[in-house]
Amino acid sequence: MNPFWSMSTNAGRKVNYGSAPRSDGEEQVGQGEQKSSPARPSFGKKQLPSIPKNAVPITKAASPAPSTQSANGTHASYGPFYLEYSLLAEFTLVIKQKLPGIYVQPSYRSALMWFGVIFIRHGLYQDGVFKFTVYIPDNYPDGDCPRVVFDTPVFHPLVDPVSGAGVRRAFTKWRRNHNHIWQVLMYARTVFYKINTMDPLNPEAAVLYDKDIQLFKSKVVDSVKLCNSHLFDQPKIDDPYAISFSPWNPAVHEEAKEKMFAHKRRPEDYNKGLPVSGLSWVKPGSTQPFSKEDNPLQT
Amino acid sequence: MSWLSRLNPRGPGTRTGRHAAPTSPCTADPETCLMVFENHWRQVSRVLKQRESSVGGYADDLTAVRNHTDQMLCLLAEERPAGGDIDSPVGPILKMVVAENILDELVQWHVRRGLDPDSQLELLKLFEMLIGQSHQPLLLHSAVLQPLLNLLGACVDPQLGSPPALESSLVLLLNQVCVCMAKETAVLELIFRCGLVQQGPTNLLIFSLLVPFIHRDGSLGQQARDALLLVMATSASNHSVARHIAENSYFCPVLATGLSALYSSLPRKIEVRGDDWHALRREDWMAVSSLVLFMNSLEFCNAVVQVAHPLVRCQLLDYLHNGFLVPVMGPALHKSSVDEMIASTAYLDLFLRSITETSLLKTFLRFILLHRHDNDTILDTLLTRISSNSRLCMVSLSLFKTLLSLNCEDLMLQLVLRYLLPCTHVMLSQRRAVRETDLYGKSADKFLSLIPECCRITPAPSSERDDEPAFWGKVLGSPTSESPVHPRPSTPSRLALFIRQQSSGGQAIPPSSGSENAPSSPRGSVSSPLSPDSPVHQLPDTSEGETGYLEYLRDARKGIELCSWACRDWSAPYDGENPSPNSAPPPPPPPTSHPSLNMVQEHFSIMDRPQQRGAVVAAARAEWSSSDRDSGEWDVTISKNCISLTPRSKKRSLLSSSIPLQSSSSASVSTEMTGAVETVSQHSHSAPHTALYNGMGQVELTDSVDEKMEVKKVKRDSDVNNSMVESGMNGSMGIGSVDYNDFHVGSTMKSSQVQVKPHLQHQTSVPTSTQECLESESQRLSPVPALTETSTVPCDSRGPESVERLIEELLERAPSEPLTGDSKCQGISIEAFHQELRELEERVRERRVLSRSSEESSREYRTAPTPSLTDEDCLPVEIEQRSSETKPESYATGVFSPARPLGPPLAQPYTGPFITVLFSKLESMMQNSLYVNILLTGVVFQLACYPQPLLRSFLLNTNMVFQPSVKSLIQVLGSVKNRIEAFAATHEDFPAMLRKARRFLVARGKLDWSDSPIGVPTLRRSDSLIKSRKPSLGDLILRHTNSPTRARHAAQLALAHVRDGGQSLHSALFRGGAAGGASGLEKQAEALRVKNAVYCAVIFSEFLKELAALAQEHSVALPFPPSQGAEE
């Protein structure tokens, strides 16, 4: 019953996204995202999307200079870099967390807007594929919790049936250094596995869940179907990096999938035959140089 | 190294022209050829049989045999293997040769007849032709191989080698044989077995014959090495042959010891062209034949290690370590003359860059890290050189850059990590923060905030920036096109600024530092050739903004990526938990990690109490003078009007001049209690106690400290009256100079304590280059009195007043340097110091003639800027006090350790000599030359690329709270910032100079310096200037008026030359003084000081951006997973 979806983004770019929704194995978040680092000179067809940075990074919505540092002194001009890098660092943390079934991708336009999709592998919402957008306040990290808005409002006690907004509730106060965006994403995933009806955004769903679980379940199934039927819709937000799905097309996706599995991350400057083979003769657990003497006839 | 590509055997016929072969009947059918061959053979055998009976030789016979043999062998060579018959694809002629053992008979005949050199040569050539051109694998037939071996045995005595006349033919033949061997592996086995039967132990004759040619130059050596390499490659899988090579041949020893021999013929002194020279590049050494020879052999070693059987490889590596590195490289690196040190360091650097084989690299690294020469590891010795004030510093920095670029865990462990492992440098509560990444750019912000105000050239106001169209939204319409609004990077990145620092000495190794590679595309726009006056050059001046920062971010990311990729197979993450701080062995305490201190300890160990001094001192002195090592072989002559330092021997040079390693963070005694400084202090013991306190006036010394001081002092005291002032040696780095000054100044110096220190900094760094001058000076001025005399000669009792004033005057200049707490470690450029020293001498002499009013000098002092003492980051006094507080412990664990072998475990955190020396060098950035600063910041950059949280947090996390005694990078930089700002405040035209310096650097970055040698001033030029610097009386007087204004004038004058951009700042500056006038010299020294400071300001600002970029990139870096086994 599950079509073999494949995701693609628009604008004809090849993407390394590919997914087997049912596989419960560990999937990497942001799989194709080798590294979103600034100043990538160009992004040709083969290039994975990353944050475009042909220009000095300035967040789109930064009407007043956002960060506090930028107020003082000359290095205020570096302010944009701080916000940019903070968000990049957040994104790096997301990647490191390897949240199962969640993929995110910062938008082309603004580092403050991330596109995401979440695959639900079991439970009431099994087979659900929910696209969402993360909006990060422009005074990050000193603002509120980033908002998660589902493209299609899924029937869920904690998802607003009209706007699709959800999750936010979990972080009443956003504390820098303590709260991270990966936590928001993880929470967004958790609510689909462990339903909580406290303080609902969708009171109907909450009541149903508590009073009539059967009806709730059927509504959920309907909602999941509805969401999935909109899967191939154009992304709501027109952005080159918005996540869009298309039916499996071997000509496009097979290659991308293979690349994805074969991918080995290398330094950008790799291939010059650098003697950077990672010299180490230290025996693990030892702090003595040349303690690893296991095979004197080493290769 | 393209050895393997050279392994391709030469195709047959490549040298047909060489050997005038008789016109061969190529087209003739095999039958005919066989008939012709048989015919020749009949003729020959007739002669051979004749000879059997008769005894005398006839020339006719020989000629006939030769002619026929020529024909026969040509036929044999031309013969194609018989087609069709697959089992024995042997041509008919070869069949006959084998059946009748024709070649053997021929050779036998020749041998019996007595081989004259001529026929030897003939035969060798014949065989070479035969083997080289044959279409059949002749050597597989013992009927060919055996006579060949017989011939070789007859021609060459394996022990004595071959006659010179035969060499080229012999090697060529052997080379051919080896080529065949590489084609037909079985040949090796055959040769081996044939030899076994005949020659016993030296059975691999072909091999043994080649060995003597390993190190030959020219094509002969190359052919021999090629051939040997073929043998190596072929025997790689043949255990018995490999064993034979390892056990019965001299291959490995010859190779290794040959390197030693070749090394000894290398130039002891490297002729340097530019004053930015710091490493041997390929174009440097290609012209030096001895170096080419050495490099060929080293490459050969590398290639052998690559292809040979493990047995052979191990043996070779052993021999290299024990036969070359330890006995030759070790002492070479410890040579006493600076030139030799420079050369050997540069050589080592070159070798390391040229080696590609991991196991060979391991051998070298092992030698550097573990081998002890005179009790110190090579690494420690090399470390101390960084603190020198000469080119040695640059060469050493370059070497460490190479070392760092290896990304070797063992090295990093020894160099830095082991000191950070116990985590004692961080507050206990902060240990967890070691792993934290700087999520919000706070560290970057901190680094950027240290850019001195005076170096920020009117950035665009932030309101304007909002109007700039450069942000994401703008590019939306055309995502694939380069943004047209991408601003040209206006700040030169490291590449632009530092492009000339590239040094790809190793031929096969591209510069491994990502930041200094060839320009990547984005920079193409920057590096377009522009005339210096082009408007684009104005950009750095006008729109200094955030744009160049992108380049730094890119560089930083590349550096970090490469580094973390290279480190992915390390045994541990070094994140403060693994390896566990508790299980980590305590790192060596500060002093023992320092060579010169070790040396000190050696002397200490026998004399730990003052009472014993008398006897011990004499012994120590004797030991010193006789010792091979660098030790205090300086004589100080202090007479009424002259102080001279006389190096006792040529040893000693560098160590003595190096500035102290320990900064106040470890607050241990420094290390550099040797040489000039040391001896100066020896004599100064006769100075009043109070004076000696000056350097550290505020320090309250505890008893224990005093005691330790004593111990330390024993050495310095060695031959002088020893009842003096232990407390005076309060562990300041500047001790020597403190005493030096105090000696003259006397007790009245107390009032000017504050000024003492900055000045002392200069004095601590007695530059080696001045030694010769000093020597000559002293010889000229005064006889060197015996030591006993010196010790009793009191300071000039008649002129304390004037001397005192003189010192004061000298000190007055000091305040122009901002005062900071850790300034002890500061050095000044050789030239400047030399100048000062000279002056001091001169002035002492001239004192009587010339009296100056002290009022004037005091007035000058008052006008000098008061150093800022309020900066929160690096409050000098506070630091001073802090460090002085911690001193006792440092001593206890450090200096004193030999005397108290069972001292308590190290309590004081010590971040290691490498960090210490880098930091102290950074602290003296203002005095460093431009090139030193470029190299230095490059090394720190590379160090900061390492992703290990321990290292990263120590260098880049500005939020970490360290133990009070641990100096952080940010503190060091803060003090530099203050100095720069103080300097700028005293120089009105600082902005203009800064702009010019920046312009020069940008232009320099764009300039391909190799094709404009004129623009690069030679070192010799400045050298000669230094030597010719003999300040006259007028000069000395003028010197008193030394003031910011004067400096400004000098700088203006110098910088004026740069205005048209065609001149390098350097040549402009140096030319200014070339006239040789006294005032010119004066200006020159001042101009140099100004120049260094201005350049420093530029480099410093860029360096801070680099560090900020690194901090930011680290926070977004993703680690690489460890490679599973072999990663291509």
Side-chain angles (χ1 to χ4, degrees):
Chain A
M1 74 175 264
N2 282 317
F4 197 50
W5 283 305
S6 85
M7 304 192 324
S8 168
T9 58
N10 50 13
R13 288 174 298 111
K14 286 179 191 164
V15 184
N16 278 1
Y17 288 92
S19 63
R22 288 304 299 267
S23 81
D24 280 333
E26 192 187 41
E27 278 184 48
Q28 277 208 352
V29 183
Q31 174 70 12
E33 212 57 42
Q34 295 159 301
K35 182 171 178 202
S36 288
S37 30
R40 199 177 288 262
S42 70
F43 35 95
K45 283 196 168 178
K46 293 267 168 112
Q47 196 98 35
L48 286 164
S50 90
I51 301 168
K53 227 148 292 134
N54 290 326
V56 180
I58 294 181
T59 45
K60 184 192 71 176
S63 27
S67 58
T68 48
Q69 304 102 307
S70 57
N72 53 359
T74 321
H75 56 291
S77 51
Y78 294 95
F81 288 103
Y82 300 149
L83 178 56
E84 177 80 12
Y85 269 75
S86 295
L87 293 168
L88 267 177
E90 285 283 3
F91 187 72
T92 310
L93 285 182
V94 170
I95 293 174
K96 283 179 182 163
Q97 289 301 321
K98 296 185 172 36
L99 302 172
I102 296 183
Y103 300 84
V104 282
Q105 161 92 318
S107 98
Y108 181 90
R109 250 179 249 193
S110 165
L112 293 170
M113 182 166 67
W114 295 7
F115 304 112
V117 63
I118 181 168
F119 294 88
I120 306 299
R121 275 96 181 247
H122 52 82
L124 291 177
Y125 290 87
Q126 179 169 327
D127 301 330
V129 181
F130 309 122
K131 290 199 276 183
F132 60 88
T133 309
V134 182
Y135 295 96
I136 300 150
D138 53 17
N139 55 348
Y140 168 89
D142 300 315
D144 290 336
C145 170
R147 289 182 300 139
V148 174
V149 177
F150 289 93
D151 286 14
T152 310
V154 62
F155 184 75
H156 189 284
L158 299 184
V159 177
D160 188 299
V162 181
S163 69
V167 171
R168 191 173 184 173
R169 207 191 45 122
F171 303 86
T172 47
K173 190 170 183 303
W174 188 260
R175 294 181 303 157
R176 60 190 291 165
N177 283 319
H178 289 274
N179 293 129
H180 298 293
I181 295 178
W182 67 265
Q183 295 165 333
V184 176
L185 298 176
M186 194 166 81
Y187 181 76
R189 178 179 176 274
T190 312
V191 297
F192 288 104
Y193 291 102
K194 213 178 157 189
I195 284 120
N196 185 339
T197 56
M198 293 288 286
D199 201 5
L201 287 169
N202 185 344
E204 185 205 345
V207 170
L208 267 189
Y209 181 79
D210 290 335
K211 304 282 159 129
D212 187 350
I213 186 70
Q214 286 313 316
L215 184 56
F216 178 83
K217 276 182 181 170
S218 74
K219 283 217 164 207
V220 164
V221 169
D222 290 346
S223 178
V224 165
K225 272 183 188 157
L226 181 74
C227 285
N228 291 356
S229 72
H230 286 294
L231 203 58
F232 297 133
D233 291 358
Q234 280 301 301
K236 283 193 169 171
I237 295 161
D238 181 32
D239 188 289
Y241 289 177
I243 295 174
S244 78
F245 284 72
S246 65
W248 179 260
N249 175 0
V252 176
H253 299 121
E254 200 69 62
E255 186 194 344
K257 186 180 153 197
E258 257 159 43
K259 265 192 191 166
M260 203 177 101
F261 283 117
H263 174 73
K264 260 189 191 163
R265 197 173 142 250
R266 289 267 160 69
E268 225 168 72
D269 276 4
Y270 181 75
N271 82 24
K272 297 185 180 165
L274 296 169
V276 284
S277 49
L279 299 179
S280 169
W281 296 279
V282 181
K283 196 169 89 188
S286 162
T287 54
Q288 291 305 310
F290 304 106
S291 47
K292 190 158 75 179
E293 279 299 347
D294 43 1
N295 63 338
L297 311 181
Q298 42 141 239
T299 52
Chain B
M1 296 187 193
S2 53
W3 279 90
L4 281 181
S5 65
R6 279 196 231 140
L7 287 180
N8 294 326
R10 285 189 191 86
T14 44
R15 278 184 322 282
T16 36
R18 213 191 116 268
H19 190 87
T23 49
S24 54
C26 295
T27 47
D29 64 302
E31 310 288 306
T32 319
C33 288
L34 180 62
M35 278 168 60
V36 177
F37 184 86
E38 281 172 338
N39 196 28
H40 283 300
W41 173 235
R42 257 195 303 279
Q43 316 260 347
V44 172
S45 45
R46 199 173 307 139
V47 179
L48 299 193
K49 294 212 170 83
Q50 271 180 9
R51 288 282 300 119
E52 298 272 355
S53 43
S54 67
V55 184
Y58 301 108
D60 285 355
D61 289 348
L62 187 58
T63 316
V65 169
R66 255 189 209 172
N67 287 338
H68 288 299
T69 314
D70 273 1
Q71 298 295 328
M72 286 163 59
L73 294 194
C74 278
L75 283 167
L76 178 56
E78 290 295 328
E79 188 184 50
R80 307 252 161 202
D85 192 354
I86 301 163
D87 287 337
S88 60
V90 175
I93 298 178
L94 178 57
K95 212 177 261 174
M96 182 179 168
V97 168
V98 171
E100 305 199 12
N101 217 359
I102 289 172
L103 290 177
D104 197 40
E105 283 199 34
L106 272 171
V107 172
Q108 295 285 351
W109 179 78
H110 276 286
V111 170
R112 271 201 309 274
R113 196 176 164 276
L115 269 172
D116 59 296
D118 195 37
S119 27
Q120 282 180 338
L121 195 62
E122 271 311 302
L123 282 171
L124 287 175
K125 279 183 177 166
L126 262 183
F127 266 96
E128 189 260 314
M129 182 275 296
L130 184 63
I131 291 159
Q133 298 181 18
S134 168
H135 301 285
Q136 309 177 78
L138 295 182
L139 290 176
L140 283 177
H141 304 273
S142 61
V144 179
L145 186 58
Q146 200 58 60
L148 171 66
L149 291 176
N150 291 343
L151 172 66
L152 289 173
C155 290
V156 191
D157 182 337
Q159 309 300 327
L160 299 175
S162 56
L166 290 184
E167 279 180 348
S168 64
S169 300
L170 177 70
V171 171
L172 205 56
L173 170 60
L174 293 172
N175 185 288
Q176 285 302 321
V177 171
C178 292
V179 168
C180 286
M181 190 192 299
K183 278 195 247 176
E184 293 281 342
T185 325
V187 172
L188 175 71
E189 193 68 26
L190 265 179
I191 294 177
F192 192 58
R193 268 194 271 122
C194 282
L196 213 58
V197 175
Q198 278 196 335
Q199 283 133 359
T202 57
N203 49 10
L204 202 45
L205 180 65
I206 290 184
F207 184 77
S208 331
L209 289 179
L210 279 168
V211 168
F213 296 95
I214 288 180
H215 299 293
R216 279 299 171 86
D217 57 353
S219 61
L220 190 68
Q222 200 55 56
Q223 282 167 2
R225 289 189 290 267
D226 285 350
L228 281 168
L229 209 52
L230 288 169
V231 178
M232 288 298 145
T234 317
S235 68
S237 51
N238 190 326
H239 188 75
S240 56
V241 175
R243 260 191 64 173
H244 170 75
I245 293 174
E247 287 170 9
N248 297 328
S249 88
Y250 294 112
F251 178 69
C252 293
V254 164
L255 196 46
T257 53
L259 273 188
S260 299
L262 290 176
Y263 184 90
S264 67
S265 66
L266 294 183
R268 297 287 167 86
K269 176 180 182 177
I270 296 177
E271 292 291 327
V272 279
R273 280 164 304 280
D275 51 2
D276 57 349
W277 181 90
H278 60 273
L280 283 165
R281 294 161 307 158
R282 188 172 174 77
E283 55 262 40
D284 288 332
W285 60 263
M286 282 309 281
V288 184
S289 58
S290 58
L291 199 45
V292 170
L293 207 50
F294 184 92
M295 291 305 286
N296 282 341
S297 290
L298 183 66
E299 282 170 27
F300 180 61
C301 287
N302 191 70
V304 170
V305 168
Q306 189 180 354
V307 300
H309 188 275
L311 264 178
V312 178
R313 181 177 58 209
C314 281
Q315 199 195 28
L316 177 60
L317 292 176
D318 272 357
Y319 272 106
L320 281 177
H321 186 267
N322 298 320
F324 167 59
L325 291 175
V326 169
V328 174
M329 220 43 220
L333 287 167
H334 287 80
K335 279 282 161 51
S336 55
S337 92
V338 191
D339 279 336
E340 283 177 287
M341 282 191 232
I342 290 173
S344 57
T345 309
Y347 291 147
L348 182 61
D349 182 28
L350 174 64
F351 302 159
L352 285 169
R353 278 182 284 128
S354 307
I355 294 170
T356 59
E357 274 308 295
T358 309
S359 49
L360 185 54
L361 208 49
K362 182 185 178 186
T363 305
F364 269 78
L365 287 173
R366 213 193 166 102
F367 163 72
I368 293 172
L369 296 189
L370 299 185
H371 174 66
R372 286 180 181 274
H373 184 93
D374 278 353
N375 253 350
D376 299 309
T377 61
I378 302 289
L379 187 70
D380 288 336
T381 306
L382 294 172
L383 274 173
T384 62
R385 309 265 168 88
I386 294 178
S387 62
S388 77
N389 262 337
S390 68
R391 192 183 296 274
L392 183 59
C393 164
M394 287 164 70
V395 174
S396 302
L397 282 171
S398 174
L399 173 66
F400 275 95
K401 204 161 175 327
T402 301
L403 287 172
L404 288 181
S405 73
L406 295 176
N407 302 118
C408 171
E409 181 177 6
D410 309 58
L411 174 84
M412 293 305 291
L413 197 56
Q414 292 296 92
L415 208 53
V416 186
L417 290 172
R418 62 172 162 166
Y419 301 99
L420 302 179
L421 268 180
C423 276
T424 47
H425 63 290
V426 268
M427 293 294 202
L428 203 58
S429 59
Q430 290 274 311
R431 285 203 184 168
R432 281 182 54 215
V434 164
R435 281 184 303 165
E436 276 174 12
T437 50
D438 178 26
L439 213 52
Y440 307 117
K442 280 169 95 176
S443 294
D445 193 47
K446 180 70 184 163
F447 281 119
L448 291 172
S449 74
L450 287 183
I451 295 179
E453 209 54 57
C454 52
C455 298
R456 295 180 183 150
I457 301 177
T458 54
S462 53
S463 59
E464 274 177 38
R465 213 190 53 246
D466 287 347
D467 302 335
E468 281 177 17
F471 58 91
W472 290 12
K474 276 293 175 185
V475 219
L476 191 60
S478 53
T480 48
S481 70
E482 281 279 343
S483 162
V485 298
H486 180 46
R488 186 187 298 275
S490 63
T491 316
S493 72
R494 173 166 289 274
L495 180 95
L497 271 180
F498 305 161
I499 196 162
R500 281 162 66 183
Q501 295 304 315
Q502 284 190 42
S503 57
S504 49
Q507 47 185 24
I509 308 176
S512 45
S513 151
S515 62
E516 294 185 12
N517 278 342
S520 50
S521 52
R523 279 176 192 140
S525 58
V526 200
S527 58
S528 58
L530 295 162
S531 90
D533 284 329
S534 135
V536 185
H537 280 235
Q538 305 304 322
L539 265 175
D541 302 346
T542 53
S543 69
E544 162 73 7
E546 72 271 40
T547 40
Y549 192 58
L550 268 182
E551 301 292 310
Y552 285 120
L553 287 170
R554 189 202 312 277
D555 282 353
R557 188 185 63 227
K558 277 185 192 167
I560 292 170
E561 268 196 351
L562 272 180
C563 187
S564 61
W565 188 77
C567 298
R568 70 200 187 284
D569 286 338
W570 281 22
S571 75
Y574 297 94
D575 56 0
E577 289 184 6
N578 178 16
S580 156
N582 305 320
S583 69
T592 48
S593 66
H594 194 279
S596 60
L597 254 212
N598 269 354
M599 187 180 74
V600 173
Q601 285 160 6
E602 274 177 30
H603 297 298
F604 278 162
S605 46
I606 43 168
M607 38 169 174
D608 46 358
R609 283 288 158 250
Q611 298 91 303
Q612 302 170 352
R613 276 185 206 156
V616 180
V617 153
R621 178 46 114 175
E623 188 185 341
W624 283 4
S625 40
S626 64
S627 159
D628 249 0
R629 264 173 284 122
D630 295 334
S631 42
E633 288 140 347
W634 280 69
D635 288 341
V636 177
T637 316
I638 303 174
S639 53
K640 285 173 194 168
N641 46 17
C642 158
I643 302 167
S644 43
L645 297 160
T646 315
R648 269 239 173 126
S649 78
K650 285 231 157 181
K651 306 258 164 199
R652 170 101 246 117
S653 37
L654 238 269
L655 282 179
S656 63
S657 72
S658 48
I659 58 166
L661 264 194
Q662 324 294 356
S663 55
S664 68
S665 64
S666 56
S668 64
V669 186
S670 171
T671 56
E672 303 297 338
M673 300 303 164
T674 52
V677 168
E678 171 189 323
T679 36
V680 170
S681 66
Q682 289 171 6
H683 295 274
S684 61
H685 297 312
S686 51
H689 294 214
T690 43
L692 289 170
Y693 275 108
N694 278 333
M696 284 271 143
Q698 60 278 72
V699 182
E700 282 293 320
L701 291 168
T702 63
D703 281 353
S704 65
V705 173
D706 280 346
E707 186 179 284
K708 285 153 210 148
M709 294 307 173
E710 264 174 37
V711 175
K712 188 163 71 70
K713 214 180 121 235
V714 172
K715 180 208 163 206
R716 283 195 259 107
D717 248 343
S718 32
D719 50 348
V720 203
N721 59 357
N722 42 28
S723 60
M724 299 313 301
V725 250
E726 288 80 12
S727 53
M729 325 306 280
N730 44 19
S732 137
M733 318 291 100
I735 284 177
S737 17
V738 173
D739 299 331
Y740 193 24
N741 283 321
D742 294 341
F743 169 58
H744 303 279
V745 171
S747 54
T748 60
M749 272 298 297
K750 270 180 287 188
S751 58
S752 44
Q753 274 175 22
V754 184
Q755 284 82 38
V756 172
K757 265 170 283 160
H759 183 68
L760 293 181
Q761 299 152 9
H762 307 179
Q763 308 251 338
T764 39
S765 52
V766 176
T768 51
S769 70
T770 62
Q771 292 177 4
E772 286 161 73
C773 298
L774 289 173
E775 187 169 18
S776 58
E777 185 79 349
S778 69
Q779 281 161 0
R780 184 166 56 85
L781 293 175
S782 67
V784 182
L787 279 164
T788 46
E789 278 174 39
T790 354
S791 60
T792 54
V793 170
C795 70
D796 184 5
S797 53
R798 281 188 291 167
E801 227 183 78
S802 54
V803 171
E804 188 182 314
R805 236 181 283 134
L806 172 62
I807 294 298
E808 273 175 14
E809 283 158 15
L810 272 177
L811 292 173
E812 278 149 27
R813 290 206 312 279
S816 67
E817 312 272 338
L819 175 66
T820 52
D822 311 305
S823 46
K824 284 163 292 187
C825 307
Q826 224 176 351
I828 197 173
S829 66
I830 297 172
E831 293 86 352
F833 173 71
H834 174 76
Q835 183 74 17
E836 283 179 13
L837 211 60
R838 269 318 191 102
E839 250 170 49
L840 189 60
E841 294 172 11
E842 288 289 323
R843 288 213 240 153
V844 170
R845 195 145 38 105
E846 302 295 337
R847 244 325 124 172
R848 289 161 298 177
V849 187
L850 200 93
S851 73
R852 278 188 52 87
S853 68
S854 54
E855 292 82 37
E856 185 184 333
S857 44
S858 59
R859 193 175 61 236
E860 269 183 38
Y861 160 55
R862 264 179 247 118
T863 58
T866 22
S868 147
L869 292 173
T870 50
D871 186 86
E872 47 183 9
D873 287 317
C874 46
L875 193 59
V877 173
E878 269 181 19
I879 290 170
E880 188 73 58
Q881 283 165 348
R882 249 193 282 163
S883 57
S884 55
E885 280 160 19
T886 59
K887 245 161 227 163
E889 289 85 3
S890 303
Y891 282 135
T893 51
V895 177
F896 217 42
S897 49
R900 288 183 197 162
L902 293 176
L906 185 71
Q908 277 302 305
Y910 173 55
T911 50
F914 189 53
I915 294 286
T916 309
V917 74
L918 285 183
F919 279 11
S920 82
K921 205 72 187 167
L922 274 180
E923 237 168 3
S924 64
M925 264 187 95
M926 285 278 279
Q927 284 76 42
N928 293 344
S929 80
L930 166 66
Y931 304 112
V932 166
N933 280 336
I934 289 177
L935 279 169
L936 177 68
T937 52
V939 167
V940 177
F941 174 87
Q942 200 156 359
L943 196 59
C945 281
Y946 277 85
Q948 285 70 29
L950 271 179
L951 189 51
R952 192 198 61 206
S953 65
F954 175 68
L955 291 174
L956 295 176
N957 188 344
T958 56
N959 303 322
M960 290 270 280
V961 183
F962 296 132
Q963 297 286 354
S965 63
V966 172
K967 193 184 286 183
S968 69
L969 179 59
I970 206 82
Q971 279 174 321
V972 171
L973 297 174
S975 73
V976 176
K977 174 196 189 237
N978 287 346
R979 278 174 220 175
I980 291 174
E981 287 183 339
F983 175 86
T986 58
H987 292 75
E988 276 170 23
D989 54 349
F990 180 81
M993 290 193 290
L994 190 73
R995 265 196 299 277
K996 278 168 189 162
R998 198 177 300 227
R999 202 178 305 161
F1000 165 70
L1001 284 175
V1002 173
R1004 174 183 171 275
K1006 287 171 189 152
L1007 213 129
D1008 187 2
W1009 65 310
S1010 55
D1011 35 62
S1012 66
I1014 310 127
V1016 184
T1018 60
L1019 185 77
R1020 210 161 297 109
R1021 197 147 140 208
S1022 49
D1023 229 348
S1024 60
L1025 277 173
I1026 295 170
K1027 280 180 183 154
S1028 68
R1029 214 176 278 161
K1030 296 235 158 93
S1032 69
L1033 184 59
D1035 185 21
L1036 290 170
I1037 302 167
L1038 279 174
R1039 182 78 170 191
H1040 289 291
T1041 66
N1042 193 1
S1043 72
T1045 328
R1046 274 186 57 85
R1048 210 180 309 133
H1049 283 321
Q1052 272 170 347
L1053 209 75
L1055 288 165
H1057 293 270
V1058 199
R1059 209 172 290 141
D1060 53 1
Q1063 284 294 341
S1064 87
L1065 192 53
H1066 276 68
S1067 42
L1069 283 167
F1070 283 121
R1071 181 162 310 141
S1079 64
L1081 290 168
E1082 167 59 29
K1083 273 184 215 149
Q1084 212 182 345
E1086 180 59 23
L1088 184 65
R1089 204 175 71 84
V1090 170
K1091 185 192 75 174
N1092 282 343
V1094 172
Y1095 276 137
C1096 166
V1098 179
I1099 299 295
F1100 181 69
S1101 308
E1102 301 303 314
F1103 181 48
L1104 286 168
K1105 288 184 203 164
E1106 272 190 322
L1107 292 173
L1110 278 170
Q1112 292 207 291
E1113 285 294 343
H1114 270 301
S1115 69
V1116 300
L1118 273 175
F1120 288 90
S1123 67
Q1124 279 87 28
E1127 178 108 6
E1128 67 264 41

